[in-house]
Amino acid sequence: MTSTLIRGRPRHATSRTAVRVAHAVLGGAAGVVWLVLPGMTSVARDPVPVARAGPAASAAAAERDETTTTDLVLPLVAVGAAGALAAYGYVRRTRRARSRTTPGVVSVRPPSLTPADLERQARTALAVADDSVRTSREELGFAEALFPAETVEPFTRALRAAETELAAAFAMYRRYEQGVPQDEVTRRQALVGVVGRCAEAGRRLDAEAPAFDGLRALERGVDEALEVAEGRFRELAGRTGGAAATLDGLGRRYTASAVEPVTGYVEQAKDRLVFATGHLNACRQAADSGAHERAARHLRAAEGAIAQAGVLVTGVERLAAEEREAALLVPAALTGAEAEIAAARRSGGSDVPAGELRVRISRADGVLAAVREQLTGGPYDPLGALRHIARAVEPLGVGRAGVVTAAALLVARSAVGVAEDFVGTHRGAVGAEPRTLLAEATRLLAGGAPGYARADRLALDSRELAERDVRAHGAPTAYPGPPSTGLTGAVLGGILLAEEPDGGPPSSFGGPETRARRTLP
C-alpha cells in the first residue's frame, strides 16, 4: 500500500474532490429537470377547450410558441455554464495541488534524509537519552533516601529498562562506526534503530515521570526532601576539604600523571556546592512563602549540583585508593610478567612466528626494565606502571598470570571510572562519540579478563574526546550573575538545561518530553 505521504493527493483532498464533483452533477440534474418541466406541466394540466381560429387565437399561439423556445434555451445555457464552471474548477484545483508547497498536500515524494543527517540525528538522540538516564538516576537517589525500596521499585525498573535500551543503542552505533553493516540500506536501518532505541529509553522514563512526581510531591511541600538535600550538602562540604588534602598528598607522593585525571575536581566540587547553597536558600524562602512550585524548582537545581559535587569528591577519593592499591601490586605484577615472558620463550609462540615473538619478548623486557627504574628513581605513577606491565605482556599470547590479570582489571576499572565521572559532570558539552566509547568500555569491563585491555584503551580515548568537546564548547558566558554563583558550571554539567536566560529549568527524572517540566510559573 502506498503511503499517503508520497501520493499525489492526500485522502482528505480526494474526499473534497468527490464532493465537488457531486455538486456539479447535481447542478446538471437540476438543469435537466428545468428542461423537461414545461412538458411535464402541460401533460398534468387540466383539459382546456380548443380555441377557435382567428386573430386572437393566432396571437395566443404565437405567444405560446415564443415561451416554449425560451423554456428550451435557458436550461441548456444553465447546464452548459454549470459544466464549464465545474471543468474550470477541476483544472484549477489540479494545477494548484500540483504546485502547492504548504503542509497538508504533498505533490512529490519528500526528500529523504542523507546519511550525514541520519548520523547527526542518531548522535543527538544518544546524547539526550544518556542525559535523561543520568539525571533520572541522580534524582532517584534522593527519592530512595525517603521512601522504602518497594515504593521506588517501579521507577527503578523503568530506569533499568531505559539503561538497557540505551546500552543497545550505543552498541548499535559503535558497530556502525566500525563499518558494520557495510551496505548503505542496512546502515541507514541501523541508524534508524539507534534513534528508535533512544526514543524507547526516553519513553520508559517519560511514562513514569508523573507517578514519580506524585511520589515526591515536591509541589505540595519540600520539607523532608529539603532536609535530605541539606544533610548531603553538609556531608559533602566536609569531604571536600578532605579531598583537597588528599589531592595535595597525591601530588607530593606521585608524579603529575598520577594526579592528572582528577586535577581541578576539588575546585569544581566547590563550585557546585556554591551553586547548591544559593538554591537551597532560595528553596527555603520559597517554601516559607508558600510558593511550592518555585521551591520545587530550586530544590531540583540544588539536588543536581549536590549529586555532581559528590561525583567529583568521590572521584578524588577513589583515585587515591586506586593509586595506593596499584603501588602495592606493582612488585608482584613485575614478577608475574617475568613469568609470562619466560613461558613465552619456552613455548616458542605456537601462534606467532619465531621472529615476531622475539621482537615482542624484547619489547616486554624493555618495558619491565623501565618500570623497575621508575620504582627506584623517585616518584612515579603506580597505575601508569601497572598499565605498562599489562600491555607489555598482552601481545605474548600465553596464559596470563593471575597477578597480571588483576593489574589489568585495576587499570581498566580506574580508567572507566575516571571517564564516567568526567562525562557525567560535563554532560552539557560532551557529545555522542565519547559517550559511545565509554559505553563500550563499560561493556568490555563487565565481560571479564579478555576485555580489560581494550576497555582501558577505550576509556582513555573517551576521556580525551570528552575533554576535547568541552574545550570546543567553551564556557557559557551569556548567563547573568557573578561567577561565584556557580551558574556556568551548572549549565556545563547539565544541571540546568540552558533553555532560558537564567540557565533554564533544572533537569528532572524523565525522558526528553518531561525532564524540563519544572519551569517557573
Side-chain angles (χ1 to χ4, degrees):
M1 182 179 294
T2 304
S3 171
T4 57
L5 291 177
I6 60 175
R7 290 176 180 169
R9 182 186 302 275
R11 293 176 182 172
H12 62 274
T14 303
S15 63
R16 290 199 299 269
T17 300
V19 172
R20 290 166 181 149
V21 172
H23 287 169
V25 173
L26 183 60
V32 172
V33 172
W34 190 9
L35 178 63
V36 301
L37 186 59
M40 294 173 60
T41 305
S42 63
V43 172
R45 193 179 298 153
D46 292 338
V48 295
V50 178
R52 295 180 179 178
S58 298
E63 181 178 356
R64 284 195 302 271
D65 291 342
E66 182 179 355
T67 304
T68 302
T69 302
T70 304
D71 289 343
L72 289 173
V73 172
L74 288 178
L76 290 175
V77 172
V79 171
L85 288 173
Y88 171 74
Y90 175 78
V91 172
R92 187 169 181 268
R93 285 191 300 272
T94 301
R95 290 178 177 173
R96 186 168 61 245
R98 288 175 180 170
S99 61
R100 182 176 297 172
T101 58
T102 55
V105 177
V106 181
S107 57
V108 295
R109 182 184 297 272
S112 60
L113 293 176
T114 66
D117 293 333
L118 283 174
E119 287 183 12
R120 282 192 293 270
Q121 190 178 64
R123 288 194 296 267
T124 299
L126 286 169
V128 171
D130 191 41
D131 284 353
S132 298
V133 166
R134 290 175 181 276
T135 299
S136 298
R137 188 186 300 127
E138 289 172 357
E139 186 173 3
L140 183 60
F142 285 93
E144 288 171 341
L146 282 176
F147 302 99
E150 58 271 18
T151 303
V152 299
E153 178 60 25
F155 313 110
T156 303
R157 286 199 306 269
L159 178 60
R160 289 173 181 166
E163 290 172 340
T164 300
E165 294 289 343
L166 181 60
F170 275 126
M172 292 172 67
Y173 191 71
R174 174 64 178 168
R175 290 194 296 271
Y176 174 87
E177 286 185 316
Q178 294 174 323
V180 181
Q182 295 183 348
D183 63 285
E184 182 179 350
V185 173
T186 311
R187 286 177 67 78
R188 289 176 65 89
Q189 292 174 348
L191 291 176
V192 171
V194 170
V195 174
R197 290 279 192 171
C198 292
E200 179 60 16
R203 187 196 66 80
R204 295 292 187 108
L205 297 173
D206 283 328
E208 296 297 333
F212 188 78
D213 284 349
L215 174 67
R216 298 202 73 191
L218 298 181
E219 282 73 15
R220 294 196 298 270
V222 298
D223 292 344
E224 293 183 347
L226 182 57
E227 290 179 3
V228 170
E230 289 175 337
R232 292 192 179 182
F233 175 88
R234 288 190 293 270
E235 181 222 351
L236 278 171
R239 286 173 56 196
T240 301
T246 298
L247 192 60
D248 185 61
L250 286 175
R252 290 194 306 269
R253 187 171 184 177
Y254 304 117
T255 60
S257 62
V259 183
E260 188 274 334
V262 294
T263 299
Y265 273 23
V266 172
E267 290 75 17
Q268 293 176 44
K270 292 178 179 178
D271 183 73
R272 300 297 194 274
L273 291 178
V274 168
F275 178 82
T277 299
H279 282 275
L280 288 173
N281 292 336
C283 175
R284 178 71 69 184
Q285 294 170 2
D288 291 343
S289 64
H292 297 304
E293 292 185 4
R294 186 179 295 274
R297 171 172 170 152
H298 285 299
L299 178 63
R300 272 302 305 136
E303 287 177 342
I306 291 168
Q308 289 197 9
V311 170
L312 294 165
V313 170
T314 301
V316 174
E317 297 169 344
R318 186 184 64 243
L319 181 66
E322 290 167 346
E323 291 287 4
R324 289 192 296 268
E325 183 180 356
L328 295 174
L329 191 58
V330 166
L334 282 170
T335 302
E338 290 168 349
E340 292 287 301
I341 293 173
R345 285 196 178 98
R346 289 193 303 269
S347 67
S350 58
D351 297 332
V352 182
E356 176 64 22
L357 179 61
R358 285 194 296 271
V359 171
R360 294 182 183 183
I361 290 176
S362 176
R363 191 175 298 152
D365 281 333
V367 170
L368 298 188
V371 171
R372 291 192 195 93
E373 185 177 351
Q374 290 178 4
L375 293 179
T376 59
Y380 73 107
D381 178 0
L383 281 171
L386 284 183
R387 180 173 287 113
H388 290 314
I389 294 170
R391 290 186 178 183
V393 173
E394 181 187 6
L396 299 181
V398 294
R400 299 280 288 273
V403 66
V404 177
T405 299
L409 171 60
L410 176 58
V411 167
R413 190 178 64 214
S414 177
V416 170
V418 166
E420 174 70 25
D421 293 347
F422 188 88
V423 171
T425 55
H426 298 80
R427 57 179 178 259
V430 175
E433 188 176 2
R435 300 173 194 247
T436 302
L437 295 181
L438 175 57
E440 180 67 6
T442 303
R443 185 188 69 81
L444 291 171
L445 181 62
Y452 291 162
R454 184 64 178 156
D456 178 45
R457 290 184 174 90
L458 289 175
L460 293 176
D461 291 343
S462 171
R463 170 67 185 263
E464 182 179 351
L465 291 176
E467 291 177 341
R468 180 201 64 185
D469 285 352
V470 172
R471 289 192 299 269
H473 182 273
T477 58
Y479 302 107
S484 60
T485 61
L487 185 58
T488 297
V491 173
L492 190 64
I495 299 168
L496 302 181
L497 294 176
E499 296 178 357
E500 298 171 9
D502 65 347
S507 188
S508 300
F509 182 102
E513 299 298 323
T514 58
R515 63 178 186 148
R517 61 189 177 274
R518 286 196 170 93
T519 58
L520 282 177

